């Protein structure tokens, strides 16, 4: 069932009785649950944290006097957004002490298409990484506008501010995102470049790697301080990144199997050894070449990807 526009009133069941209260509340929640998860995931960059937020909102919904809620979808989306804003404040302080580069937790959008079903905007890992640099309120405004097509008036209502302020917030967030990223290539070109990169990386072909990279390419490795092979700092610059990738080719790729996937709406490859995932690799690319290489290596961030693959195989 499609969600009703936020500006419309949710029709209450005229035959509402106490025994139906829980079921009605559950139905209303289940109808918008994918949207709630989509908002939370985009704002936090973590599927695990997003699930916790959705569970928290469900508990709040159970404790709410639903007889006075005219529009449950709007109420639930607003509650989710505000809980995320509060949570993001503490998440930011935790990530400041994170060991090594922090990257968003990837999600398998082929096995969980609901995440990007409404709009795929603000879902790519490069965008989620940029969203981390915004204030939580800016992030909320951007996600609601770009990913869920909320009007500025609706965003103002969610964030409890004047419409003009909401409009300014969205504009400022868009500018930050645009300034932080070149115009991306098509998904087909991204896939082609990723395939070429993996091939060159396996061979340790320095010249081929340099040909694929933009001048200011950056390689991020997220091991969370747990994975020894993950670089503790980003590696940047065409020559430095090419040498870095080529240097570990002789031992890193031994016994590796590749599984091509779609995570966050983009091509990626899951690297496994002896049946266990050790990294998920993807890129962000523009007309200048590969701008970013992202190696997600922290086991907890790979666990959900592995589980999703097992569920559909």
């Amino acid at each position: 069932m499609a969600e009703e526009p936020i500006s419309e009133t949710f029709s209450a069941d005229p035959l509402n009785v106490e025994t139906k209260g829980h079921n009605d509340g559950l139905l209303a929640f289940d109808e918008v649950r994918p949207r709630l998860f989509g908002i939370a995931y985009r704002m936090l960059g973590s599927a695990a944290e997003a699930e916790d937020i959705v569970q928290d909102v469900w508990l709040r919904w159970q404790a709410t006097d639903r007889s006075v809620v005219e529009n449950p979808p709007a109420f639930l989306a607003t509650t989710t957004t505000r809980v995320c804003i509060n949570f993001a404040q503490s998440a930011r302080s935790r990530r400041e002490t994170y060991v090594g580069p922090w990257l968003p937790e990837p999600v398998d959008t082929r096995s969980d298409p609901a995440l990007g079903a409404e709009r795929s905007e603000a879902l790519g890992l490069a965008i989620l990484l940029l969203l981390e640099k915004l204030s939580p309120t800016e992030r909320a405004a951007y996600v609601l506008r770009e990913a869920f097509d909320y009007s500025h008036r609706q965003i103002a209502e969610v964030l409890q501010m004047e419409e003009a302020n909401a409009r300014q917030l969205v504009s400022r967030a868009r500018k930050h995102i645009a300034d932080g990223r070149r115009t991306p290539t098509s998904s087909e070109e991204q896939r082609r470049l990723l395939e070429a990169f993996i091939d060159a990386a396996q061979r340790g072909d320095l010249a081929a790697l340099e040909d694929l990279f933009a001048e200011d390419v950056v390689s991020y490795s997220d091991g969370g301080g747990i994975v020894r092979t993950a670089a503790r700092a980003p590696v940047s610059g065409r020559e430095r990144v090419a040498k870095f990738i080529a240097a570990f080719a002789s031992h890193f790729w031994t016994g590796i199997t590749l599984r091509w996937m779609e995570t966050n709406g983009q091509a990626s490859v899951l690297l496994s050894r002896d049946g266990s995932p050790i990294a998920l690799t993807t890129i962000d690319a523009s007309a200048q070449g590969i701008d970013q290489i992202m190696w997600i290596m922290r086991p907890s961030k790979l666990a959900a990807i592995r589980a999703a693959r097992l569920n559909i195989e």
Side-chain angles (χ1 to χ4, degrees):
M1 180 182 292
E3 180 184 342
E4 296 181 39
I6 200 168
S7 59
E8 293 183 9
T9 300
F10 186 88
S11 298
D13 184 346
L15 300 179
N16 180 43
V17 293
E18 185 175 349
T19 55
K20 290 182 62 183
H22 176 78
N23 289 338
D24 287 347
L26 179 60
L27 177 62
F29 186 86
D30 280 348
E31 285 179 350
V32 296
R33 193 184 190 287
R35 168 169 287 203
L36 306 185
F37 179 82
I39 291 171
Y41 174 73
R42 287 169 170 87
M43 283 196 62
L44 302 174
S46 167
E49 290 174 353
E51 288 288 1
D52 288 344
I53 293 294
V54 172
Q55 180 62 23
D56 184 14
V57 173
W58 164 243
L59 294 175
R60 292 172 185 239
W61 179 236
Q62 287 183 299
T64 298
D65 179 2
R66 294 189 291 274
S67 67
V68 300
V69 178
E70 294 184 340
N71 187 337
F75 177 90
L76 290 166
T78 296
T79 302
T80 299
T81 303
R82 292 177 183 168
V83 172
C84 283
I85 288 173
N86 292 334
F87 187 89
Q89 301 282 5
S90 60
R92 171 170 286 185
S93 63
R94 290 197 304 274
R95 286 166 191 170
E96 287 175 352
T97 59
Y98 194 83
V99 179
W102 178 89
L103 291 173
E105 179 186 349
V107 288
D108 186 341
T109 41
R110 186 163 291 169
S111 64
D112 186 16
L115 183 60
E118 295 186 70
R119 293 178 63 136
S120 60
E121 280 81 354
L123 187 58
L125 293 178
I127 293 290
L128 293 177
L129 195 56
L130 285 172
L131 285 174
E132 279 289 307
K133 299 179 180 180
L134 304 182
S135 72
T137 307
E138 286 176 327
R139 205 181 309 172
Y142 183 88
V143 166
L144 293 175
R145 181 64 178 165
E146 298 301 312
F148 298 99
D149 203 27
Y150 277 43
S151 69
H152 293 104
R153 178 183 60 79
Q154 291 167 331
I155 294 170
E157 291 173 355
V158 171
L159 300 180
Q160 297 180 310
M161 61 175 57
E162 296 296 324
E163 184 175 341
N165 293 338
R167 190 179 298 274
Q168 186 178 45
L169 206 60
V170 171
S171 177
R172 189 162 64 238
R174 279 176 172 163
K175 185 178 187 306
H176 285 314
I177 297 298
D179 289 347
R181 188 187 188 207
R182 298 187 179 107
T183 302
T185 61
S186 67
S187 57
E188 293 78 16
E189 179 65 2
Q190 293 260 355
R191 169 74 184 235
R192 185 194 72 79
L193 286 169
L194 179 57
E195 289 177 346
F197 166 71
I198 294 296
D199 177 63
Q202 287 178 301
R203 292 183 288 109
D205 191 329
L206 199 63
L209 287 167
E210 289 191 27
D211 285 344
L212 292 169
F213 295 159
E215 183 65 35
D216 55 355
V217 62
V218 182
S219 175
Y220 299 97
S221 304
D222 181 346
I226 299 171
V227 181
R228 289 186 304 164
T229 54
R232 292 293 184 96
V235 181
S236 58
R238 178 181 288 152
E239 291 185 10
R240 289 190 65 211
V241 173
K243 288 177 180 178
F244 168 71
I245 301 294
F248 61 72
S250 61
H251 58 276
F252 178 79
W253 298 98
T254 302
I256 289 289
T257 57
L258 309 179
R259 185 184 298 276
W260 290 91
M261 301 181 60
E262 178 192 291
T263 56
N264 296 71
Q266 64 193 93
S268 58
V269 59
L270 184 66
L271 314 179
S272 300
R273 183 180 287 118
D274 299 326
S276 298
I278 64 166
L280 182 108
T281 306
T282 190
I283 62 169
D284 192 49
S286 65
Q288 281 74 26
I290 296 175
D291 296 307
Q292 294 180 337
I293 307 162
M294 289 165 274
W295 308 83
I296 293 119
M297 307 178 79
R298 182 163 183 155
S300 60
K301 292 185 178 182
L302 297 175
I305 291 292
R306 183 175 186 273
R309 298 310 302 170
L310 291 174
N311 287 338
I312 65 176
E313 290 176 355

